[in-house]
Structure formats: C-alpha cells, structure tokens
Amino acid sequence: MSEKILLVEDEEKLARFVELELVYEGYQVKKAADGREGLALFEAERFDLILLDVMLPGIGGFEVLRRIRKTSSLPVIMLTARDAVMDKVAGLDGGADDYVTKPFAIEELLARIRTALRKQTATTSLQVGQLSIDPARRTAKYGETELDLTKREFDLLFALMESHGIVLTREVLLDRVWGYNYQGETNSPDVYIRFLRGKIDEAFGVKYIHTVRGVGYVLKEG
Ligand code: CA
C-alpha cells in the first residue's frame, strides 16, 4: 500500500512538479492550493504525511500546522522560500517534523520524506529496565505510569531507547530527532535531555539518562 501525502502549496508550477516526482516515487498525492483547502482535505481523508508551505494565501502555514497539531501527530514537513532562523524556530516549536528551504533539490525533499515516514511507521515496542515505549501508539511508560511527553521529548526518548547502551552524540541526536541540518541552537539536545531527566530520572528517583562528557548521551539502567 503506498503512502499518501497531502501537499499544501499555492505555487502551482512547484506543486505540480513535486506531485509528479512523488507519484513517480510511488506515493499517492493530494494537492491543496491554500490553507483552508488543505485543512478541509486533512479533516476529510487519511494521510501519512503533510508537505506544508509556510507562505500561503489566507490561512498561513503556521496556523494550518497549529490546527493540525490539535488533533494529530502526523509528520509535517514545512516548505518555505525564506531561510530565516525565526521561521525554523516557529515551525519546530509549532510541532513541525522537518523543514525544507526553497529552492530545494527534489532528492533532498524525498530523503526528508523517507526519514519522517520511517520515524512514524516504527512499530516495535522497546523496553529498557522499567522504561517502555510504544511508537505505534506514541506512548511511553515508567513501570505502569504513563509519561506525559511532548512530541519532541517522545522522539528523543525513542532515539535513546532504540540505541540504548550506545553513546549518541549531539549531532546524531539532532539528525535523528530534529531531522534536518540544524543551523540554529545546537544545544537543543541538551535542553530536551534536561526535560526528559525531569520526567524520568528525577520523577522516579532513578538514573537512566547518562551524560558522557564531551561526547553525548546514553540511555542505560543504573
Ligand atoms: Ca507559497
């Protein structure tokens, strides 16, 4: 079964080009020319991923993203002509999975799509000590207690659990969790590691998340 992508893009030529490439790669594609149409399609049909332009007439891309995130953790890749750090921060804080700046090489966009879909379709539950994570349902538990994690915290915990016992560098975490060539704040992993520690190690009086000074982080029991 091929994956279905919603493409919300008002530049007709670009939209048609991307659609052709995606169809050629075997994806099903539905196009929307503005935010309102995009939201209507999102509500009416089931998609596996959304490509969302930032600069849209009417309801802008960030507002569309905000409304989608109220009900869905579907992967969203933002497209923009602007390479402003502010846009990236706004998009990622708003829950976008990735960010592609126009003009982009189609191969780059396809790679980002594959990465986002792979993250989403991971279905194997993982267990490390008392910690367990269910990527299909996007839930994580310590013992029987469900953890209240943001999307980013969940993705970070998943990456750590997937490679438990292995030290992950900041760069690897940025790549796996943030999923794009991060230009801005490279201390994001440190910030989110702190959040996770608060919700796991500190909350339960245990030590799972270890710092390897000068290298990165590793998740292991004790
Ligand atoms: Ca546009």
Side-chain angles (χ1 to χ4, degrees):
M1 201 189 67
S2 65
E3 283 137 327
K4 193 165 154 192
I5 296 176
L6 173 59
L7 171 60
V8 189
E9 169 62 74
D10 60 312
E11 284 166 58
E12 210 185 314
K13 267 174 77 178
L14 178 64
R16 221 169 332 151
F17 166 70
V18 171
E19 179 188 28
L20 280 175
E21 293 287 340
L22 292 176
V23 168
Y24 181 77
E25 292 294 319
Y27 297 110
Q28 292 179 60
V29 181
K30 276 282 172 82
K31 276 185 305 184
D34 59 45
R36 197 169 300 279
E37 196 185 336
L39 282 167
L41 274 170
F42 162 74
E43 273 156 31
E45 300 184 28
R46 204 197 62 81
F47 292 94
D48 296 294
L49 180 140
I50 300 177
L51 295 175
L52 179 58
D53 187 27
V54 170
M55 301 290 282
L56 290 168
I59 307 170
F62 290 134
E63 177 59 18
V64 172
L65 174 66
R66 199 183 65 79
R67 295 193 196 178
I68 287 170
R69 279 289 172 260
K70 279 186 182 171
T71 58
S72 168
S73 62
L74 204 64
V76 175
I77 299 177
M78 305 294 288
L79 310 174
T80 184
R82 293 185 293 171
D83 192 16
V85 170
M86 278 315 292
D87 269 5
K88 292 186 181 175
V89 171
L92 295 162
D93 284 352
D97 293 82
D98 208 344
Y99 211 97
V100 177
T101 305
K102 297 177 193 170
F104 48 80
I106 193 70
E107 291 75 19
E108 187 194 355
L109 180 65
L110 292 171
R112 305 287 181 95
I113 289 171
R114 282 193 296 271
T115 301
L117 287 172
R118 196 172 59 233
K119 258 198 247 171
Q120 189 73 2
T121 53
T123 50
T124 318
S125 296
L126 300 170
Q127 175 107 32
V128 179
Q130 289 294 306
L131 275 176
S132 60
I133 197 163
D134 181 348
R137 299 169 60 200
R138 293 192 71 83
T139 54
K141 285 179 178 175
Y142 183 86
E144 287 306 308
T145 311
E146 192 156 320
L147 303 174
D148 183 19
L149 303 179
T150 64
K151 179 173 160 51
R152 195 70 66 192
E153 290 164 355
F154 182 91
D155 288 343
L156 178 59
L157 181 60
F158 182 77
L160 289 165
M161 287 184 72
E162 207 179 24
S163 301
H164 72 269
I166 298 168
V167 181
L168 299 177
T169 62
R170 251 180 219 94
E171 290 68 33
V172 167
L173 288 173
L174 280 170
D175 186 51
R176 284 208 207 157
V177 179
W178 279 258
Y180 61 102
N181 221 347
Y182 206 62
Q183 307 281 327
E185 296 156 47
T186 52
N187 70 337
S188 290
D190 309 292
V191 173
Y192 280 83
I193 285 280
R194 215 151 51 225
F195 295 159
L196 270 188
R197 277 197 173 124
K199 291 183 177 181
I200 299 169
D201 290 2
E202 285 158 28
F204 297 95
V206 291
K207 186 139 183 68
Y208 278 84
I209 302 165
H210 302 256
T211 303
V212 180
R213 212 157 286 285
V215 185
Y217 299 100
V218 58
L219 186 130
K220 60 183 182 185
E221 239 184 313

